[in-house]
mmCIF file of all heavy atoms in Angstrom:
data_model
loop_
_atom_site.group_PDB
_atom_site.id
_atom_site.type_symbol
_atom_site.label_atom_id
_atom_site.label_comp_id
_atom_site.label_asym_id
_atom_site.label_seq_id
_atom_site.Cartn_x
_atom_site.Cartn_y
_atom_site.Cartn_z
ATOM 1 N N GLU A 1 0.852 -1.188 0.000
ATOM 2 C CA GLU A 1 0.000 0.000 0.000
ATOM 3 C C GLU A 1 0.891 1.243 0.000
ATOM 4 O O GLU A 1 1.702 1.404 -0.889
ATOM 5 C CB GLU A 1 -0.963 -0.043 1.191
ATOM 6 C CG GLU A 1 -1.963 -1.201 1.094
ATOM 7 C CD GLU A 1 -2.940 -1.237 2.246
ATOM 8 O OE1 GLU A 1 -2.749 -0.514 3.247
ATOM 9 O OE2 GLU A 1 -3.923 -1.995 2.136
ATOM 10 N N ASP A 2 0.774 2.121 1.013
ATOM 11 C CA ASP A 2 1.597 3.339 1.050
ATOM 12 C C ASP A 2 2.879 3.143 1.851
ATOM 13 O O ASP A 2 3.605 4.110 2.120
ATOM 14 C CB ASP A 2 0.797 4.495 1.666
ATOM 15 C CG ASP A 2 -0.382 4.892 0.798
ATOM 16 O OD1 ASP A 2 -0.278 4.748 -0.434
ATOM 17 O OD2 ASP A 2 -1.406 5.341 1.352
ATOM 18 N N ASN A 3 3.153 1.910 2.234
ATOM 19 C CA ASN A 3 4.301 1.629 3.090
ATOM 20 C C ASN A 3 5.300 0.714 2.393
ATOM 21 O O ASN A 3 5.071 0.257 1.276
ATOM 22 C CB ASN A 3 3.821 0.981 4.404
ATOM 23 C CG ASN A 3 2.764 1.809 5.104
ATOM 24 O OD1 ASN A 3 2.902 3.029 5.215
ATOM 25 N ND2 ASN A 3 1.700 1.175 5.575
ATOM 26 N N TYR A 4 6.406 0.452 3.095
ATOM 27 C CA TYR A 4 7.424 -0.479 2.607
ATOM 28 C C TYR A 4 7.795 -1.434 3.724
ATOM 29 O O TYR A 4 7.783 -1.061 4.898
ATOM 30 C CB TYR A 4 8.696 0.270 2.178
ATOM 31 C CG TYR A 4 8.649 0.840 0.774
ATOM 32 C CD1 TYR A 4 8.113 2.098 0.546
ATOM 33 C CD2 TYR A 4 9.152 0.128 -0.310
ATOM 34 C CE1 TYR A 4 8.070 2.638 -0.739
ATOM 35 C CE2 TYR A 4 9.114 0.659 -1.593
ATOM 36 C CZ TYR A 4 8.571 1.903 -1.799
ATOM 37 O OH TYR A 4 8.520 2.414 -3.060
ATOM 38 N N TYR A 5 8.144 -2.676 3.320
ATOM 39 C CA TYR A 5 8.743 -3.582 4.285
ATOM 40 C C TYR A 5 10.177 -3.118 4.506
ATOM 41 O O TYR A 5 10.875 -2.731 3.570
ATOM 42 C CB TYR A 5 8.741 -5.022 3.770
ATOM 43 C CG TYR A 5 7.369 -5.654 3.740
ATOM 44 C CD1 TYR A 5 6.773 -6.012 2.534
ATOM 45 C CD2 TYR A 5 6.672 -5.903 4.931
ATOM 46 C CE1 TYR A 5 5.517 -6.597 2.510
ATOM 47 C CE2 TYR A 5 5.416 -6.488 4.903
ATOM 48 C CZ TYR A 5 4.844 -6.824 3.698
ATOM 49 O OH TYR A 5 3.588 -7.396 3.678
ATOM 50 N N MET A 6 10.603 -3.187 5.747
ATOM 51 C CA MET A 6 11.943 -2.707 6.073
ATOM 52 C C MET A 6 12.559 -3.560 7.179
ATOM 53 O O MET A 6 11.857 -4.085 8.047
ATOM 54 C CB MET A 6 11.867 -1.254 6.549
ATOM 55 C CG MET A 6 13.215 -0.650 6.882
ATOM 56 S SD MET A 6 13.061 0.713 8.057
ATOM 57 C CE MET A 6 14.613 0.537 8.917
ATOM 58 N N THR A 7 13.869 -3.709 7.111
ATOM 59 C CA THR A 7 14.628 -4.322 8.190
ATOM 60 C C THR A 7 15.946 -3.574 8.305
ATOM 61 O O THR A 7 16.212 -2.651 7.525
ATOM 62 C CB THR A 7 14.843 -5.832 7.932
ATOM 63 O OG1 THR A 7 15.448 -6.413 9.089
ATOM 64 C CG2 THR A 7 15.734 -6.071 6.725
ATOM 65 N N LEU A 8 16.757 -3.937 9.278
ATOM 66 C CA LEU A 8 18.036 -3.239 9.423
ATOM 67 C C LEU A 8 19.079 -4.156 10.037
ATOM 68 O O LEU A 8 18.766 -5.159 10.677
ATOM 69 C CB LEU A 8 17.892 -1.972 10.254
ATOM 70 C CG LEU A 8 17.626 -2.057 11.762
ATOM 71 C CD1 LEU A 8 17.926 -0.703 12.396
ATOM 72 C CD2 LEU A 8 16.210 -2.461 12.083
ATOM 73 N N ASN A 9 20.308 -3.790 9.810
ATOM 74 C CA ASN A 9 21.484 -4.481 10.350
ATOM 75 C C ASN A 9 21.433 -5.994 10.155
ATOM 76 O O ASN A 9 21.628 -6.489 9.059
ATOM 77 C CB ASN A 9 21.682 -4.096 11.819
ATOM 78 C CG ASN A 9 22.028 -2.618 11.967
ATOM 79 O OD1 ASN A 9 22.535 -1.987 11.037
ATOM 80 N ND2 ASN A 9 21.746 -2.045 13.123
ATOM 81 N N ASP A 10 21.132 -6.755 11.222
ATOM 82 C CA ASP A 10 21.170 -8.218 11.150
ATOM 83 C C ASP A 10 19.917 -8.825 10.528
ATOM 84 O O ASP A 10 19.797 -10.052 10.409
ATOM 85 C CB ASP A 10 21.392 -8.823 12.538
ATOM 86 C CG ASP A 10 20.380 -8.316 13.566
ATOM 87 O OD1 ASP A 10 19.337 -7.757 13.150
ATOM 88 O OD2 ASP A 10 20.627 -8.464 14.774
ATOM 89 N N LYS A 11 18.948 -7.997 10.175
ATOM 90 C CA LYS A 11 17.712 -8.432 9.515
ATOM 91 C C LYS A 11 16.871 -9.394 10.359
ATOM 92 O O LYS A 11 16.127 -10.217 9.842
ATOM 93 C CB LYS A 11 18.019 -9.090 8.156
ATOM 94 C CG LYS A 11 18.711 -8.166 7.161
ATOM 95 C CD LYS A 11 18.858 -8.836 5.804
ATOM 96 C CE LYS A 11 19.483 -7.891 4.776
ATOM 97 N NZ LYS A 11 19.609 -8.526 3.445
ATOM 98 N N GLU A 12 16.963 -9.282 11.657
ATOM 99 C CA GLU A 12 16.191 -10.167 12.527
ATOM 100 C C GLU A 12 14.717 -9.777 12.597
ATOM 101 O O GLU A 12 13.848 -10.633 12.707
ATOM 102 C CB GLU A 12 16.780 -10.166 13.948
ATOM 103 C CG GLU A 12 18.041 -11.006 14.085
ATOM 104 C CD GLU A 12 18.436 -11.199 15.535
ATOM 105 O OE1 GLU A 12 17.718 -10.677 16.418
ATOM 106 O OE2 GLU A 12 19.447 -11.863 15.779
ATOM 107 N N LYS A 13 14.432 -8.476 12.546
ATOM 108 C CA LYS A 13 13.054 -8.010 12.651
ATOM 109 C C LYS A 13 12.619 -7.348 11.347
ATOM 110 O O LYS A 13 13.430 -6.710 10.661
ATOM 111 C CB LYS A 13 12.907 -7.018 13.808
ATOM 112 C CG LYS A 13 13.169 -7.635 15.173
ATOM 113 C CD LYS A 13 12.966 -6.607 16.278
ATOM 114 C CE LYS A 13 13.180 -7.232 17.656
ATOM 115 N NZ LYS A 13 12.975 -6.241 18.744
ATOM 116 N N VAL A 14 11.348 -7.496 11.032
ATOM 117 C CA VAL A 14 10.788 -6.891 9.826
ATOM 118 C C VAL A 14 9.667 -5.944 10.235
ATOM 119 O O VAL A 14 8.843 -6.276 11.095
ATOM 120 C CB VAL A 14 10.242 -7.962 8.858
ATOM 121 C CG1 VAL A 14 9.577 -7.301 7.652
ATOM 122 C CG2 VAL A 14 11.370 -8.890 8.402
ATOM 123 N N TYR A 15 9.660 -4.774 9.602
ATOM 124 C CA TYR A 15 8.668 -3.752 9.919
ATOM 125 C C TYR A 15 7.988 -3.296 8.629
ATOM 126 O O TYR A 15 8.486 -3.541 7.526
ATOM 127 C CB TYR A 15 9.326 -2.520 10.557
ATOM 128 C CG TYR A 15 10.244 -2.814 11.709
ATOM 129 C CD1 TYR A 15 11.608 -3.062 11.496
ATOM 130 C CD2 TYR A 15 9.775 -2.809 13.021
ATOM 131 C CE1 TYR A 15 12.471 -3.313 12.554
ATOM 132 C CE2 TYR A 15 10.632 -3.055 14.091
ATOM 133 C CZ TYR A 15 11.977 -3.313 13.850
ATOM 134 O OH TYR A 15 12.820 -3.562 14.905
ATOM 135 N N THR A 16 6.868 -2.606 8.792
ATOM 136 C CA THR A 16 6.353 -1.790 7.695
ATOM 137 C C THR A 16 6.532 -0.346 8.133
ATOM 138 O O THR A 16 6.243 0.005 9.289
ATOM 139 C CB THR A 16 4.865 -2.077 7.390
ATOM 140 O OG1 THR A 16 4.079 -1.889 8.567
ATOM 141 C CG2 THR A 16 4.692 -3.466 6.858
ATOM 142 N N VAL A 17 7.032 0.471 7.222
ATOM 143 C CA VAL A 17 7.277 1.880 7.532
ATOM 144 C C VAL A 17 6.692 2.741 6.420
ATOM 145 O O VAL A 17 6.488 2.276 5.290
ATOM 146 C CB VAL A 17 8.787 2.181 7.691
ATOM 147 C CG1 VAL A 17 9.381 1.393 8.850
ATOM 148 C CG2 VAL A 17 9.540 1.870 6.403
ATOM 149 N N SER A 18 6.448 3.974 6.722
ATOM 150 C CA SER A 18 5.848 4.890 5.750
ATOM 151 C C SER A 18 6.742 5.060 4.526
ATOM 152 O O SER A 18 7.959 5.247 4.634
ATOM 153 C CB SER A 18 5.610 6.258 6.398
ATOM 154 O OG SER A 18 5.204 7.204 5.431
ATOM 155 N N GLY A 19 6.116 5.015 3.359
ATOM 156 C CA GLY A 19 6.860 5.189 2.115
ATOM 157 C C GLY A 19 7.429 6.578 1.931
ATOM 158 O O GLY A 19 8.336 6.786 1.121
ATOM 159 N N THR A 20 6.909 7.558 2.687
ATOM 160 C CA THR A 20 7.414 8.938 2.557
ATOM 161 C C THR A 20 8.868 9.053 2.977
ATOM 162 O O THR A 20 9.545 10.006 2.591
ATOM 163 C CB THR A 20 6.563 9.908 3.386
ATOM 164 O OG1 THR A 20 6.599 9.521 4.770
ATOM 165 C CG2 THR A 20 5.118 9.924 2.907
ATOM 166 N N ILE A 21 9.349 8.105 3.767
ATOM 167 C CA ILE A 21 10.752 8.135 4.199
ATOM 168 C C ILE A 21 11.674 8.135 2.985
ATOM 169 O O ILE A 21 12.704 8.823 2.965
ATOM 170 C CB ILE A 21 11.056 6.929 5.111
ATOM 171 C CG1 ILE A 21 10.281 7.045 6.424
ATOM 172 C CG2 ILE A 21 12.556 6.815 5.399
ATOM 173 C CD1 ILE A 21 10.335 5.792 7.273
ATOM 174 N N LEU A 22 11.292 7.369 1.957
ATOM 175 C CA LEU A 22 12.144 7.241 0.777
ATOM 176 C C LEU A 22 12.044 8.429 -0.172
ATOM 177 O O LEU A 22 12.817 8.534 -1.114
ATOM 178 C CB LEU A 22 11.811 5.951 0.033
ATOM 179 C CG LEU A 22 12.179 4.655 0.780
ATOM 180 C CD1 LEU A 22 11.632 3.443 0.047
ATOM 181 C CD2 LEU A 22 13.685 4.539 0.945
ATOM 182 N N ASP A 23 11.092 9.327 0.098
ATOM 183 C CA ASP A 23 10.985 10.525 -0.748
ATOM 184 C C ASP A 23 12.269 11.341 -0.704
ATOM 185 O O ASP A 23 12.610 12.035 -1.672
ATOM 186 C CB ASP A 23 9.817 11.405 -0.287
ATOM 187 C CG ASP A 23 8.464 10.773 -0.604
ATOM 188 O OD1 ASP A 23 8.432 9.803 -1.379
ATOM 189 O OD2 ASP A 23 7.453 11.248 -0.052
ATOM 190 N N THR A 24 12.992 11.255 0.417
ATOM 191 C CA THR A 24 14.184 12.096 0.589
ATOM 192 C C THR A 24 15.350 11.682 -0.300
ATOM 193 O O THR A 24 16.304 12.450 -0.471
ATOM 194 C CB THR A 24 14.652 12.094 2.061
ATOM 195 O OG1 THR A 24 14.940 10.745 2.472
ATOM 196 C CG2 THR A 24 13.587 12.682 2.973
ATOM 197 N N ILE A 25 15.306 10.474 -0.874
ATOM 198 C CA ILE A 25 16.402 10.049 -1.763
ATOM 199 C C ILE A 25 15.965 10.030 -3.222
ATOM 200 O O ILE A 25 16.756 9.661 -4.101
ATOM 201 C CB ILE A 25 16.968 8.667 -1.371
ATOM 202 C CG1 ILE A 25 15.915 7.569 -1.572
ATOM 203 C CG2 ILE A 25 17.494 8.671 0.057
ATOM 204 C CD1 ILE A 25 16.487 6.163 -1.478
ATOM 205 N N SER A 26 14.740 10.418 -3.492
ATOM 206 C CA SER A 26 14.202 10.323 -4.856
ATOM 207 C C SER A 26 14.636 11.501 -5.729
ATOM 208 O O SER A 26 13.813 12.218 -6.302
ATOM 209 C CB SER A 26 12.669 10.240 -4.800
ATOM 210 O OG SER A 26 12.267 9.146 -4.021
ATOM 211 N N TYR A 27 15.944 11.700 -5.826
ATOM 212 C CA TYR A 27 16.473 12.834 -6.582
ATOM 213 C C TYR A 27 17.701 12.428 -7.371
ATOM 214 O O TYR A 27 18.415 11.484 -7.015
ATOM 215 C CB TYR A 27 16.874 13.974 -5.639
ATOM 216 C CG TYR A 27 15.738 14.528 -4.817
ATOM 217 C CD1 TYR A 27 15.565 14.146 -3.492
ATOM 218 C CD2 TYR A 27 14.837 15.445 -5.363
ATOM 219 C CE1 TYR A 27 14.521 14.657 -2.726
ATOM 220 C CE2 TYR A 27 13.796 15.964 -4.610
ATOM 221 C CZ TYR A 27 13.653 15.566 -3.285
ATOM 222 O OH TYR A 27 12.612 16.064 -2.537
ATOM 223 N N GLU A 28 17.955 13.171 -8.445
ATOM 224 C CA GLU A 28 19.204 13.035 -9.168
ATOM 225 C C GLU A 28 20.229 13.978 -8.543
ATOM 226 O O GLU A 28 19.870 14.868 -7.761
ATOM 227 C CB GLU A 28 19.006 13.386 -10.643
ATOM 228 C CG GLU A 28 18.041 12.450 -11.366
ATOM 229 C CD GLU A 28 17.843 12.832 -12.821
ATOM 230 O OE1 GLU A 28 18.432 13.855 -13.248
ATOM 231 O OE2 GLU A 28 17.115 12.122 -13.516
ATOM 232 N N LEU A 29 21.479 13.810 -8.903
ATOM 233 C CA LEU A 29 22.535 14.606 -8.275
ATOM 234 C C LEU A 29 22.301 16.105 -8.438
ATOM 235 O O LEU A 29 22.482 16.876 -7.491
ATOM 236 C CB LEU A 29 23.905 14.223 -8.853
ATOM 237 C CG LEU A 29 25.107 14.969 -8.247
ATOM 238 C CD1 LEU A 29 25.212 14.707 -6.748
ATOM 239 C CD2 LEU A 29 26.396 14.575 -8.949
ATOM 240 N N ASN A 30 21.881 16.539 -9.636
ATOM 241 C CA ASN A 30 21.687 17.968 -9.870
ATOM 242 C C ASN A 30 20.613 18.579 -8.972
ATOM 243 O O ASN A 30 20.600 19.783 -8.741
ATOM 244 C CB ASN A 30 21.344 18.234 -11.337
ATOM 245 C CG ASN A 30 22.583 18.266 -12.219
ATOM 246 O OD1 ASN A 30 23.702 18.397 -11.721
ATOM 247 N ND2 ASN A 30 22.399 18.131 -13.512
ATOM 248 N N ASP A 31 19.702 17.728 -8.479
ATOM 249 C CA ASP A 31 18.673 18.229 -7.564
ATOM 250 C C ASP A 31 19.277 18.644 -6.224
ATOM 251 O O ASP A 31 18.703 19.448 -5.499
ATOM 252 C CB ASP A 31 17.591 17.162 -7.329
ATOM 253 C CG ASP A 31 16.822 16.847 -8.596
ATOM 254 O OD1 ASP A 31 16.495 17.792 -9.335
ATOM 255 O OD2 ASP A 31 16.556 15.661 -8.852
ATOM 256 N N PHE A 32 20.431 18.063 -5.886
ATOM 257 C CA PHE A 32 21.095 18.389 -4.623
ATOM 258 C C PHE A 32 21.999 19.618 -4.741
ATOM 259 O O PHE A 32 22.612 20.035 -3.763
ATOM 260 C CB PHE A 32 21.942 17.202 -4.141
ATOM 261 C CG PHE A 32 21.135 16.005 -3.733
ATOM 262 C CD1 PHE A 32 21.264 14.809 -4.421
ATOM 263 C CD2 PHE A 32 20.253 16.059 -2.669
ATOM 264 C CE1 PHE A 32 20.523 13.695 -4.051
ATOM 265 C CE2 PHE A 32 19.509 14.941 -2.292
ATOM 266 C CZ PHE A 32 19.651 13.763 -2.977
ATOM 267 N N LEU A 33 22.095 20.157 -5.945
ATOM 268 C CA LEU A 33 22.994 21.293 -6.164
ATOM 269 C C LEU A 33 22.374 22.596 -5.654
ATOM 270 O O LEU A 33 21.247 22.931 -6.000
ATOM 271 C CB LEU A 33 23.320 21.408 -7.651
ATOM 272 C CG LEU A 33 24.350 22.468 -8.050
ATOM 273 C CD1 LEU A 33 25.197 21.953 -9.211
ATOM 274 C CD2 LEU A 33 23.671 23.776 -8.468
ATOM 275 N N GLN A 34 23.123 23.303 -4.817
ATOM 276 C CA GLN A 34 22.661 24.574 -4.278
ATOM 277 C C GLN A 34 23.026 25.705 -5.233
ATOM 278 O O GLN A 34 24.183 26.079 -5.376
ATOM 279 C CB GLN A 34 23.297 24.844 -2.905
ATOM 280 C CG GLN A 34 22.875 26.156 -2.258
ATOM 281 C CD GLN A 34 21.398 26.191 -1.944
ATOM 282 O OE1 GLN A 34 20.917 25.421 -1.131
ATOM 283 N NE2 GLN A 34 20.657 27.079 -2.594
ATOM 284 N N LYS A 35 22.008 26.240 -5.903
ATOM 285 C CA LYS A 35 22.263 27.368 -6.810
ATOM 286 C C LYS A 35 22.470 28.650 -6.013
ATOM 287 O O LYS A 35 21.991 28.793 -4.886
ATOM 288 C CB LYS A 35 21.073 27.568 -7.746
ATOM 289 C CG LYS A 35 20.855 26.467 -8.766
ATOM 290 C CD LYS A 35 19.676 26.842 -9.656
ATOM 291 C CE LYS A 35 19.338 25.753 -10.644
ATOM 292 N NZ LYS A 35 18.179 26.134 -11.489
#
């Protein structure tokens, strides 16, 4: 739905987390350029 399955480090636990977290990486390099 609007979430993602996620785990971390040793992958022992699995969570669902909001998909908006990944919005912060949805850019190309030029988008990070400070004009």
